[in-house]
Amino acid sequence: MKPTLRMAYGGILTGVSVALLLTASASPWSGWAFCISAGMVAAIPLAHRQVRLGLLVFAATGILSALIVPSKRFVTAYVLFFGLYPLVKYGIEQLRCLPLEWACKLAFAGLLAGLVLYLVRLGLLPLGGRVFGLPHRLLFAAALAGFAGYDIIFSRIIALFRIFFRGR
């Protein structure tokens, strides 16, 4: 791919991601679905081993979203997990050993879940309600189970990206 075409392609992917995060901010019922979708856009170049382009799309989306998206919870979720995870997943899957890959992925998810629980406990994240009144071990286990399901679905979506975005 020519450098100018790659730059335009990255700009389009970044624009789509930022638009999805803006839509997430404006949509109270389906905001998280748009946030997850914005994270999956960064996986399109990674599906074809264009790591540098995927990293640039992630970074540009994070910076632009921090500047213009009103709801910072979706920007934070994008930067800490949904946008970062495609890059982490790509790196981990280069190990080519399924048990080791899953151990690394679950370690990443565990660290992130632990960080979120710690920040909630300190009162720095405005999450709460009855859910965070549950024992932390239960919440941690539920986060890991949810992450495993997310990873399996995400792997299938990446396989579709490889089919739909051939030659890009």
Side-chain angles (χ1 to χ4, degrees), residues 91-148:
I92 290 173
E93 289 180 352
Q94 298 306 309
L95 297 173
R96 307 273 189 242
C97 176
L98 195 59
L100 182 59
E101 288 176 16
W102 271 104
C104 292
K105 289 175 186 179
L106 289 174
F108 173 75
L111 285 171
L112 192 60
L115 174 68
V116 168
L117 287 173
Y118 179 72
L119 293 175
V120 166
R121 195 172 188 197
L122 289 177
L124 296 176
L125 285 180
L127 302 173
R130 289 188 279 168
V131 173
F132 285 97
L134 296 172
H136 286 162
R137 290 181 187 161
L138 181 63
L139 291 173
F140 191 76
L144 290 181
F147 169 78

Side-chain angles (χ1 to χ4, degrees), residues 3-161:
T4 53
L5 186 60
R6 186 177 308 127
M7 186 183 308
Y9 186 53
I12 290 169
L13 292 176
T14 300
V16 168
S17 294
V18 172
L20 286 168
L21 288 172
L22 277 167
T23 306
S25 181
S27 173
W29 295 104
S30 57
W32 289 107
F34 286 113
C35 184
I36 292 168
S37 299
M40 291 187 179
V41 170
I44 294 171
L46 295 174
H48 299 289
R49 300 185 188 348
Q50 296 175 346
V51 180
R52 190 179 327 167
L53 183 60
L55 182 62
L56 288 173
V57 168
F58 164 70
T61 301
I63 292 167
L64 288 172
S65 296
L67 294 173
I68 64 173
V69 173
S71 179
K72 300 305 181 203
R73 69 180 173 170
F74 294 118
V75 175
T76 304
Y78 176 83
V79 170
L80 288 179
F81 183 72
F82 296 114
L84 179 64
Y85 184 65
L87 297 165
V88 171
K89 179 178 177 60
Y90 179 83
I92 290 173
E93 289 180 352
Q94 298 306 309
L95 297 173
R96 307 273 189 242
C97 176
L98 195 59
L100 182 59
E101 288 176 16
W102 271 104
C104 292
K105 289 175 186 179
L106 289 174
F108 173 75
L111 285 171
L112 192 60
L115 174 68
V116 168
L117 287 173
Y118 179 72
L119 293 175
V120 166
R121 195 172 188 197
L122 289 177
L124 296 176
L125 285 180
L127 302 173
R130 289 188 279 168
V131 173
F132 285 97
L134 296 172
H136 286 162
R137 290 181 187 161
L138 181 63
L139 291 173
F140 191 76
L144 290 181
F147 169 78
Y150 171 76
D151 183 71
I152 291 168
I153 292 169
F154 191 47
S155 294
R156 305 237 170 141
I157 290 171
I158 289 174
L160 288 174
F161 285 163

